[in-house]
Amino acid sequence: MRLRGVRRSSNVEDRRGMRSGMRGIPIGGAGGIGIGGLLLVLAIAFFTDIDLTPYVSGNGGTAGAYVDSELTPEEEQAADFTLRVLATTEDVWGEVLQQQAGMAYDPPVLVLFSAVTQSPCGGASGATGPFYCPLDEKAYLDLDFFATLARQLGARGDFAQAYVVAHEVAHHVQNEIGILDDVNRARQVMSEREANALTVRLELQADCLSGVWAAHVEGLLEAGDLDEALNAAMQIGDDTLQRRSGQVPHPESFTHGTSAQRAGWFKRGFDSGEMQSCDTFAAERL
């Protein structure tokens, strides 16, 4: 992705530099899950919005004392990239939301953190992955996730990372136009299976809106960028993550959609560049 000359967003809350040492994570041995099991648990957690820290921590995820940690050049480079991507989302949605929905865009704040942090939606750790909290209208991201995305989940490339940022911003767009409130109210009177199915439509719409963003930054794209985003979507489908964990996929438990659905809806948004193409709630087939 060509980001040279693109401004850095100032809508950031940087909580890095204060890392919490996690105590009591049993790797192997009695009661331990083994390094392979740990990676599988984390792989599932990253894109299901579930904090699985208690499953990998012998003391229920209790954090140790906070210690100062100097940021490495790699971490600073990842932050610089992320803030430039965030700036592109601000520029795109500032135009698209006004032109296509007749609304002004109020961008979210991105919270960068290391290891653990707190939000009005609950605690966040490396086991929760990136998430959006509508209560404070902030997106939360531990930049270490990018390494996991590439090494453990097989989604490599800078545009795969940009897709992660765009997806969380897409949830903010959904919040801006009232979709998150509607879905949350509907989920409260549904069975778990029905609520999961509705959440899948919410997440696929966020994927589609991410594609709309990508369509409007096309001048910044390099050869292979679209393939990186589509591969990332494929690698984090519920069916793929469940298979990676050694399970048989159970569609009734899906919360984000299959690999094919995630890639397909991203591509639909990219091909059209139009928000109206992202009405997953009216779609008969996903």
Side-chain angles (χ1 to χ4, degrees), residues 29-264:
I33 62 175
I35 187 64
L38 173 64
L39 294 178
L40 293 175
V41 167
L42 294 179
I44 295 172
F46 279 137
F47 279 89
T48 54
D49 298 324
I50 299 172
D51 187 352
L52 298 184
T53 301
Y55 293 95
V56 297
S57 175
N59 60 356
T62 301
Y66 280 90
V67 294
D68 288 322
S69 177
E70 185 176 348
L71 299 176
T72 67
E74 291 77 13
E75 289 173 316
E76 293 290 28
Q77 183 178 6
D80 180 77
F81 171 83
T82 300
L83 295 184
R84 293 181 194 276
V85 171
L86 184 63
T88 70
T89 68
E90 294 165 357
D91 294 342
V92 166
W93 288 114
E95 293 183 4
V96 171
L97 204 60
Q98 181 64 53
Q99 293 172 356
Q100 299 185 15
M103 295 178 59
Y105 180 59
D106 185 16
V109 169
L110 177 64
V111 178
L112 299 179
F113 69 95
S114 300
V116 294
T117 194
Q118 292 293 323
S119 82
C121 294
S125 73
T128 57
F131 71 96
Y132 174 74
C133 179
L135 297 180
D136 62 1
E137 299 187 346
K138 295 180 180 180
Y140 290 76
L141 174 64
D142 182 344
L143 293 174
D144 285 347
F145 174 72
F146 290 156
T148 300
L149 187 70
R151 296 170 187 167
Q152 272 77 55
L153 302 185
R156 298 176 176 82
D158 61 355
F159 205 67
Q161 298 171 7
Y163 159 72
V164 170
V165 177
H167 180 90
E168 299 311 323
V169 171
H171 282 314
H172 179 68
V173 173
Q174 291 173 315
N175 194 40
E176 288 279 280
I177 59 183
I179 291 175
L180 286 189
D181 284 342
D182 292 343
V183 168
N184 287 335
R185 281 194 297 267
R187 281 173 51 89
Q188 293 174 9
V189 295
M190 289 180 169
S191 67
E192 181 179 357
R193 184 171 183 169
E194 292 171 329
N196 285 346
L198 187 62
T199 302
V200 166
R201 292 181 181 270
L202 182 74
E203 292 294 337
L204 292 179
Q205 184 180 64
D207 284 327
C208 185
L209 292 173
S210 301
V212 172
W213 159 79
H216 289 270
V217 295
E218 191 169 6
L220 301 178
L221 301 188
E222 297 177 301
D225 279 349
L226 179 59
D227 290 338
E228 290 176 2
L230 292 174
N231 177 59
M234 291 289 291
Q235 296 301 327
I236 57 181
D238 287 322
D239 54 338
T240 298
L241 291 177
Q242 288 187 1
R243 288 193 189 96
R244 186 175 281 127
S245 70
Q247 302 178 42
V248 175
H250 295 287
E252 67 277 3
S253 69
F254 290 174
T255 57
H256 285 63
T258 67
S259 293
Q261 288 170 338
R262 299 201 69 171

